Amino acid sequence: MNCFDCQALDTATAAVAICRSCGAGLCDRHAHPHPQALHRAAGMGTATRRHAARRLLCETCAVAERSD
């Protein structure tokens, strides 16, 4: 699989990840890591894990999440 964004620039670059939101293939230049808090049910409420998970997004999805 090739990077979707590189393909649009007419360059064939191997994908090393997949966007968590849209599923596009991503190379190391176009993958944007974001932390994701993990929660689990604990008693009457929800407990948040101490360490965040890693989530990779493409540029388009990363910008969309930051927009209002």
Side-chain angles (χ1 to χ4, degrees):
M1 180 188 315
N2 288 335
C3 174
F4 183 81
D5 290 334
C6 286
Q7 194 71 30
L9 298 172
D10 207 22
T11 305
T13 307
V16 296
I18 295 178
C19 177
R20 170 79 178 198
S21 186
C22 71
L26 304 171
C27 68
D28 59 344
R29 279 188 352 199
H30 290 113
H32 298 273
H34 292 272
Q36 179 178 357
L38 298 178
H39 306 284
R40 68 178 172 121
M44 297 296 287
T46 302
T48 302
R49 300 287 186 163
R50 281 184 293 221
H51 301 288
R54 178 177 49 217
R55 178 171 66 115
L56 297 173
L57 298 175
C58 67
E59 178 69 24
T60 302
C61 292
V63 169
E65 280 195 2
R66 288 189 303 247
S67 67
D68 291 336

